Amino acid sequence: MTKSPIIARGIRRWATCLTLALITVGCSRPTLTGIFVAKYQTEIDTLRLVEAPPGKLSGSFVISALNTDGSRKPDAVYSVTGSVNGPNVALKLSGGLLTLAHWFGAPTNLVGRWQGNVLTLSFGSETEAFQQMSRNAYQTVLANLDLAGQHIAKVQQAKQSVAAAQYAYRQLMSDLERYQKWGQDRINHVARVRQWHQRRVASYSNCLRRIRPLAAHHVPSWHWQGCVLSIENDQLAREQEATAIRHLPKEEQDVVGKLNARIIAVSQEFSKAAASVRAACPYMDGSTGCEKLVVSLTARSAGLPRENGVVKFRASLPKIRRAIDTDTQISIRDGKRLTAIAREVSAVYRAAN
C-alpha cells in the first residue's frame, strides 16, 4: 500500500519540527544562579550569583574566616558583576576592602569556566574551584566552620594553659631561690647585728665614763660634748634598726605564706593545663604526643612538692627563723641597754648646762 504524498509531506514536516525541538532543547543551558562555595579549614569563600537577564551576572562574594584563636572574623563582603557566555565566566569584584590581598593579591577581575556544579575561577596565577550547593548545605558548611573555630579555640586555650603553668613554675622557682638567698643573708647577718649593738654599747659606755668626772669637776661641756651629740644623732639609726628587726618575723611569715600558697597554685595550674590539653587532644596533630604531654603535666602537678627547689626552700625555714629570732632577741636586749645609757649621758649633759 503506497502512502499519500500529502501524508508523506506531513510526516517529514513533523520529523523536521521534532529534530529542531530536540536541537533547541539540547543547546539550551540552565541559568548560572545559585550558591557556589570554596571550603578551607579556617575559611569559607562564597559566591552568590544570579543570571538575569541571560548572560549578565550579579551577586556577592563573601569571605567567612577564623582568627588564630578560633573566633570568627567579621565577614568580608564584596559586590559582584559579570557575564557568562556558554561555559565562560568573567566576574568583577567591588566594595569591601577592594584589595582582597589575603585571598588572591591585588586583582579584582576573575575569569573561569562553569561546568556542571563547579565554577572554576582564576585570578592571577591562582585558581579556586567553587562547588554549587543548596542553602541547607551551605548553612552546614558555615556551622562546621564555627565548629572548627571551637576546636581551634580549645587547642589555643590548651597551649596558653601550658605556657601559663610553665611561666608560673619558673617564677616560683626563682622566688624560692631568692627567698633562700635572703634567708642566708639573714643567717650571716646575725653576727653583724650582734657587732652593731656591741660596738654601740661600748661606745656609749665609754662616753658616759669619760664625761661623768668632767661634768663633776665643772669642766665646760663644750670641751666634752662631742660624744654626747654623737649619741643623740645616733638615735634615729637605733630606732630604724630596732623597727626593721621588730618587723622581720611578720614580714618573713607573710612571704613564706605566699610562697606556700603559690606552690599549691602552681600545682593546680599544671593540673588545669593537663585537663585543658586532654580536652584538646582530639583536635591536635599527633595524638600520641598529646597524651604524653597530659601524663607529664599530671606528674608535675603531683610531684611539685617533692621537687628540689621546694624541698630546699622548706628545709631552710627553721634555720632562717632561728636567725630572725636571734636578731630580735639581740635587738630587744641591747636596744634597752643603749637606750638606758643614752638617757644617762643626756642627764649628765643637761645637769652640766
Side-chain angles (χ1 to χ4, degrees), residues 264-285:
I264 297 173
V266 170
S267 177
Q268 292 173 344
E269 284 285 328
F270 278 120
S271 179
K272 291 177 183 177
S276 183
V277 171
R278 184 181 292 108
C281 274
Y283 319 115
M284 286 185 174
D285 295 332

Side-chain angles (χ1 to χ4, degrees), residues 208-264:
L208 182 59
R209 283 194 298 268
R210 189 166 66 85
I211 68 173
R212 270 179 173 165
L214 294 175
H217 288 84
H218 305 292
V219 176
S221 62
W222 58 270
H223 284 287
W224 47 266
Q225 66 182 5
C227 69
V228 177
L229 298 179
S230 294
I231 291 173
E232 290 180 351
N233 292 334
D234 197 45
Q235 180 178 353
L236 179 60
R238 294 200 313 271
E239 291 174 351
Q240 289 176 337
E241 177 74 3
T243 300
I245 292 178
R246 185 170 62 251
H247 290 164
L248 266 180
K250 177 65 166 57
E251 292 174 357
E252 191 269 347
Q253 288 174 8
D254 289 344
V255 170
V256 170
K258 290 176 181 178
L259 288 173
N260 278 322
R262 285 175 60 191
I263 292 171
I264 297 173

Side-chain angles (χ1 to χ4, degrees), residues 159-233:
K159 291 179 179 178
Q160 292 170 3
S161 183
V162 171
Q166 291 173 338
Y167 177 78
Y169 171 81
R170 289 193 298 270
Q171 291 297 110
L172 172 63
M173 291 299 114
S174 176
D175 289 344
L176 291 178
E177 185 177 351
R178 186 178 298 111
Y179 169 83
Q180 291 171 71
K181 183 178 182 303
W182 173 86
Q184 188 59 50
D185 288 342
R186 290 311 314 176
I187 293 171
N188 297 337
H189 192 255
V190 170
R192 293 196 293 272
V193 170
R194 184 177 286 109
Q195 291 171 1
W196 190 93
H197 286 86
Q198 287 175 348
R199 284 197 299 268
R200 278 168 169 74
V201 168
S203 176
Y204 287 18
S205 299
N206 289 335
C207 178
L208 182 59
R209 283 194 298 268
R210 189 166 66 85
I211 68 173
R212 270 179 173 165
L214 294 175
H217 288 84
H218 305 292
V219 176
S221 62
W222 58 270
H223 284 287
W224 47 266
Q225 66 182 5
C227 69
V228 177
L229 298 179
S230 294
I231 291 173
E232 290 180 351
N233 292 334

Side-chain angles (χ1 to χ4, degrees), residues 12-56:
R12 286 196 297 272
R13 189 179 298 113
W14 177 82
T16 300
C17 291
L18 178 61
T19 300
L20 290 172
L22 289 172
I23 291 172
T24 301
V25 171
C27 293
S28 67
R29 63 167 178 80
T31 59
L32 181 49
T33 298
I35 301 173
F36 297 83
V37 178
K39 298 184 294 182
Y40 303 96
Q41 184 176 4
T42 60
E43 181 175 311
I44 305 297
D45 300 333
T46 306
L47 275 167
R48 292 176 180 268
L49 296 176
V50 175
E51 182 183 351
K56 300 295 182 183

Side-chain angles (χ1 to χ4, degrees), residues 37-346:
V37 178
K39 298 184 294 182
Y40 303 96
Q41 184 176 4
T42 60
E43 181 175 311
I44 305 297
D45 300 333
T46 306
L47 275 167
R48 292 176 180 268
L49 296 176
V50 175
E51 182 183 351
K56 300 295 182 183
L57 298 174
S58 62
S60 63
F61 176 69
V62 180
I63 300 175
S64 304
L66 302 175
N67 291 303
T68 55
D69 64 356
S71 61
R72 274 282 292 272
K73 296 179 181 179
D75 285 352
V77 182
Y78 306 88
S79 298
V80 175
T81 56
S83 62
V84 55
N85 182 10
N88 300 314
V89 177
L91 298 176
K92 181 177 178 60
L93 308 184
S94 61
L97 299 177
L98 292 180
T99 62
L100 300 178
H102 75 290
W103 191 55
F104 51 73
T108 56
N109 294 320
L110 292 77
V111 295
R113 293 178 65 82
W114 175 38
Q115 294 178 311
N117 293 327
V118 179
L119 177 59
T120 304
L121 297 174
S122 297
F123 24 86
S125 60
E126 301 294 328
T127 300
E128 187 167 13
F130 293 81
Q131 184 74 37
Q132 187 173 12
M133 60 179 58
S134 67
R135 184 180 299 276
N136 288 340
Y138 176 56
Q139 292 301 322
T140 300
V141 168
L142 289 180
N144 288 337
L145 179 66
D146 290 335
L147 185 60
Q150 295 173 20
H151 296 166
I152 292 172
K154 283 183 178 293
V155 173
Q156 292 300 318
Q157 288 168 5
K159 291 179 179 178
Q160 292 170 3
S161 183
V162 171
Q166 291 173 338
Y167 177 78
Y169 171 81
R170 289 193 298 270
Q171 291 297 110
L172 172 63
M173 291 299 114
S174 176
D175 289 344
L176 291 178
E177 185 177 351
R178 186 178 298 111
Y179 169 83
Q180 291 171 71
K181 183 178 182 303
W182 173 86
Q184 188 59 50
D185 288 342
R186 290 311 314 176
I187 293 171
N188 297 337
H189 192 255
V190 170
R192 293 196 293 272
V193 170
R194 184 177 286 109
Q195 291 171 1
W196 190 93
H197 286 86
Q198 287 175 348
R199 284 197 299 268
R200 278 168 169 74
V201 168
S203 176
Y204 287 18
S205 299
N206 289 335
C207 178
L208 182 59
R209 283 194 298 268
R210 189 166 66 85
I211 68 173
R212 270 179 173 165
L214 294 175
H217 288 84
H218 305 292
V219 176
S221 62
W222 58 270
H223 284 287
W224 47 266
Q225 66 182 5
C227 69
V228 177
L229 298 179
S230 294
I231 291 173
E232 290 180 351
N233 292 334
D234 197 45
Q235 180 178 353
L236 179 60
R238 294 200 313 271
E239 291 174 351
Q240 289 176 337
E241 177 74 3
T243 300
I245 292 178
R246 185 170 62 251
H247 290 164
L248 266 180
K250 177 65 166 57
E251 292 174 357
E252 191 269 347
Q253 288 174 8
D254 289 344
V255 170
V256 170
K258 290 176 181 178
L259 288 173
N260 278 322
R262 285 175 60 191
I263 292 171
I264 297 173
V266 170
S267 177
Q268 292 173 344
E269 284 285 328
F270 278 120
S271 179
K272 291 177 183 177
S276 183
V277 171
R278 184 181 292 108
C281 274
Y283 319 115
M284 286 185 174
D285 295 332
S287 59
T288 302
C290 186
E291 291 298 335
K292 287 182 178 178
L293 179 57
V294 172
V295 172
S296 174
L297 292 168
T298 303
R300 294 192 74 177
S301 173
L304 184 60
R306 297 186 295 277
E307 287 207 12
N308 189 47
V310 176
V311 171
K312 288 175 64 177
F313 157 70
R314 288 178 171 165
S316 70
L317 294 179
K319 299 176 184 178
I320 294 171
R321 286 174 174 166
R322 280 197 299 270
I324 292 174
D325 289 342
T326 301
D327 283 351
T328 302
Q329 293 168 9
I330 292 172
S331 177
I332 293 173
R333 183 192 64 214
D334 291 348
K336 290 179 179 179
R337 293 179 62 187
L338 289 174
T339 299
I341 297 171
R343 286 174 180 169
E344 288 188 61
V345 170
S346 180

